[in-house]
Amino acid sequence: MSKIPDFEGLAMFAKVAEERSFAAAARAMGVSVATVSRGVSRLEERLGARLLNRSSRQLALTEFGITVAESASRMYRDAEATESAAREMSLQPRGLIKFAAPMSFGLRWVAPLLPAFFARYPEVSVDLHLSDASVDLVGEGFDAALRIAVLPDSALVARKLCSVSQVLLAAPSYLARHGAPAHPSELGAHACLAYAYRARSAAWRFTGANGEEVSITPNGPLRVNNADALVPAVLAGLAICELPEFMAAEYVRSGQLQPLLPEWAMATGGVYFVRPSARAKPAKVEALATFLAEHLSDPAWQLAGRR
């Protein structure tokens, strides 16, 4: 005999005891009379005692059945309440979202949006995990994450929120000393700082207006696992670096850094909202995805004149 309780049999018996009729119980549960009869008979066999005295005209609980019916009815009510609460939770945004985002993007563009998100959804809370390392959504129990550029795990369900371009930058002081490269191939003669978590490889890839493609590998005194750590060295005029447009914009607009090789396009990726499965769509996660899409679909960081 299975060690798993016969929940179905108990539920059917509880409904029969309540309705005092197999037919009424079947209608209430949306199943056939035969299904209810088999469920109750199976439960009696499992328990080793009769629960009901049946005749062609009436149905009566045995003494044993009265005792079991009380517990079975309580179990049935609890199960209905659990389903109702779960259904409401799945339809109404409520509960904790464990959410991961890249460090620099999360600090600049996700965290500032959260007050407005909480104002719209006061019953939702967020456990925000900021890291440039790609988290294992399933293994680490995340409800969702933001990924930038490349999605190596095809099992994830992804929604693109916006595009992100890369920008090559240097400080005016660096350019005054070393000059600006006129072609990507000239970057080999410059100090170029690298970011460890680039989506594809360590190489910088450029595409010209005429379709020419050039790849170079940055060679400089610093390699980091968070792009913000590149900025002080570049602002000090020590080297050239590549930054995503959502970081570069503030420094370009302030004049602290200058875009290089404007006629050459670097990689254009995207910001994706990813989740472990397409089957489960909790309302709280859908709410966050829609909210971020609303606020990031026309990003404020885009620089004019970029190819």
Side-chain angles (χ1 to χ4, degrees):
M1 182 177 66
S2 171
K3 294 182 179 180
I4 301 174
D6 186 356
F7 293 109
E8 183 182 63
L10 286 165
M12 289 179 175
F13 170 63
K15 204 64 179 174
V16 170
E18 177 185 332
E19 300 286 348
R20 288 298 194 272
S21 164
F22 279 85
R27 285 194 299 270
M29 303 181 80
V31 298
S32 68
V33 174
T35 297
V36 175
S37 180
R38 284 195 300 270
V40 173
S41 295
R42 184 181 65 245
L43 181 64
E44 288 179 323
E45 183 178 350
R46 181 186 178 97
L47 298 178
R50 183 175 290 277
L51 296 167
L52 299 160
N53 288 319
R54 308 167 177 85
S55 72
S56 59
R57 294 187 177 183
Q58 63 180 8
L59 186 72
L61 294 173
T62 64
E63 185 177 349
F64 177 65
I66 292 172
T67 302
V68 174
E70 183 179 349
S71 297
S73 296
R74 186 166 55 249
M75 180 209 71
Y76 191 89
R77 290 193 301 270
D78 289 345
E80 284 186 318
T82 299
E83 278 198 356
S84 177
R87 191 178 300 111
E88 183 182 357
M89 186 176 294
S90 70
L91 297 175
Q92 298 295 326
R94 181 181 292 117
L96 175 67
I97 303 173
K98 189 175 180 183
F99 184 57
M103 178 71 74
S104 298
F105 188 86
L107 288 172
R108 282 174 171 80
W109 299 102
V110 177
L113 294 176
L114 291 180
F117 177 75
F118 294 139
R120 185 183 298 185
Y121 301 106
E123 295 187 70
V124 177
S125 56
V126 175
D127 180 354
L128 181 60
H129 177 92
L130 296 177
S131 173
D132 286 353
S134 183
V135 299
D136 177 357
L137 266 65
V138 176
E140 298 180 51
F142 282 91
D143 296 295
L146 290 184
R147 296 274 170 86
I148 295 179
V150 175
L151 300 174
D153 187 353
S154 60
L156 299 177
V157 179
R159 174 180 180 178
K160 187 175 181 179
L161 303 182
C162 59
S163 296
V164 175
S165 298
Q166 299 296 114
V167 185
L168 198 66
L169 301 160
S173 59
Y174 178 90
L175 299 176
R177 291 195 307 275
H178 302 285
H183 190 276
S185 61
E186 297 177 12
L187 289 170
H190 290 265
C192 298
L193 306 185
Y195 172 58
Y197 287 137
R198 295 189 84 255
R200 294 179 182 271
S201 71
W204 291 352
R205 292 178 170 82
F206 300 85
T207 303
N210 61 357
E212 180 185 2
E213 296 185 353
V214 180
S215 295
I216 71 104
T217 300
N219 182 24
L222 178 65
R223 187 171 185 267
V224 302
N225 64 1
N226 178 264
D228 273 302
L230 296 173
V231 174
V234 179
L235 290 175
L238 299 181
I240 293 171
C241 81
E242 168 204 46
L243 289 178
E245 196 174 13
F246 65 79
M247 290 181 59
E250 61 181 285
Y251 300 108
V252 172
R253 289 168 180 156
S254 68
Q256 294 174 280
L257 296 177
Q258 180 177 324
L260 306 178
L261 302 173
E263 296 304 314
W264 291 81
M266 300 189 76
T268 298
V271 177
Y272 293 86
F273 187 94
V274 298
R275 64 185 70 190
S277 170
R279 295 180 181 177
K281 293 185 177 181
K284 60 183 180 181
V285 178
E286 283 290 299
L288 181 60
T290 301
F291 180 86
L292 292 177
E294 288 174 5
H295 288 79
L296 299 177
S297 60
D298 186 21
W301 64 71
Q302 290 183 332
L303 292 167
R306 299 298 302 171
R307 284 186 66 241

